[in-house]
Amino acid sequence: MQMVLGFASIIGIAPAMILMYLVLRKYTYPAVEKPFFSDPYFFGLFVVGMISGTILFAVYTYFWGNAIISALLFGVLEVMVILVILNLRRFHGKSDTVFYGYGLGLGFGATMAVGMSYYLISVSSSAGEALGALDYVILVILTISKTMLLSAAGLTVGEGVAKLRILEFTSQAVLVNMIYHIVMVPWFSNPGQWIGTLSLFLGLIVAIAYFYKTAFSDLPNVVRAVLRQEGSKRGDVPK
């Protein structure tokens, strides 16, 4: 069982570490002399996200058998948890809040991914079924899409808190998260059938598109906009 948990942890946390590096490397030392965020705050919120994801996944398992209910409920609940944690006065109207939202979403997504991997591997082991290479590929796809989705949701909520337009941006994150969960319903209901496999890949496309838009396409402009709102000016915001 410890081996299963260790393997699930690698599958779940590795994508988060890679995504963390790919997005943040342009916004911190040595790429810029003055980082755009505080490392202690970022990693503190990453840990808070991991703890929150662990708790929420424990709740999630009770709804696993009803994909429609979990799609609707958790499409809203996951984003609300991010908002409740990030919606502190210290983060309002600050440009670094966007990055802290990203850290929170990454931690949240990583432990949700670990929990899903551990649960699915354990269920298969209990049923006496050995997972094949394709099954592990599917697990990796699932964990990558979940981590991308929730880290992007963290960026969106963080943007809303930073711009003091919380309801607007939280609603956007909830909408995309619900779309992802609804798209994934056939996979949770029929994981071994072609409709389930198609659902898994459609979910991955939704997650990649949302993550790319928030983390790469929009992030530089978001940081510039919030810096202007703060009355700050920096000429080293990455393009």
Side-chain angles (χ1 to χ4, degrees), residues 102-200:
Y102 183 56
L104 181 60
L106 272 178
F108 199 176
T111 48
M112 287 291 286
V114 169
M116 285 184 175
S117 300
Y118 178 75
Y119 183 85
L120 293 170
I121 294 172
S122 298
V123 168
S124 298
S125 299
S126 299
E129 300 175 1
L131 295 180
L134 181 59
D135 296 313
Y136 285 107
V137 170
I138 289 172
L139 279 179
V140 170
I141 291 173
L142 181 64
T143 57
I144 289 173
S145 64
K146 193 68 179 177
T147 305
M148 282 186 165
L149 182 80
L150 289 176
S151 59
L155 279 167
T156 304
V157 175
E159 181 180 354
V161 175
K163 290 182 175 179
L164 304 177
R165 293 156 58 188
I166 296 171
L167 180 60
E168 175 187 346
F169 284 93
T170 300
S171 299
Q172 292 177 19
V174 167
L175 177 61
V176 178
N177 206 34
M178 288 185 70
I179 289 172
Y180 171 84
H181 279 276
I182 290 170
V183 165
M184 289 291 291
V185 165
W187 187 83
F188 285 102
S189 303
N190 307 284
Q193 299 181 17
W194 70 268
I195 188 67
T197 303
L198 176 62
S199 165
L200 180 71

Side-chain angles (χ1 to χ4, degrees), residues 60-72 74 185 188-189:
Y60 188 79
T61 56
Y62 288 99
F63 296 88
W64 193 280
N66 195 317
I68 296 294
I69 290 178
S70 66
L72 297 175
F74 284 89
V185 165
F188 285 102
S189 303

Side-chain angles (χ1 to χ4, degrees), residues 3 22 95 114 185:
M3 185 178 295
L22 289 176
S95 59
V114 169
V185 165

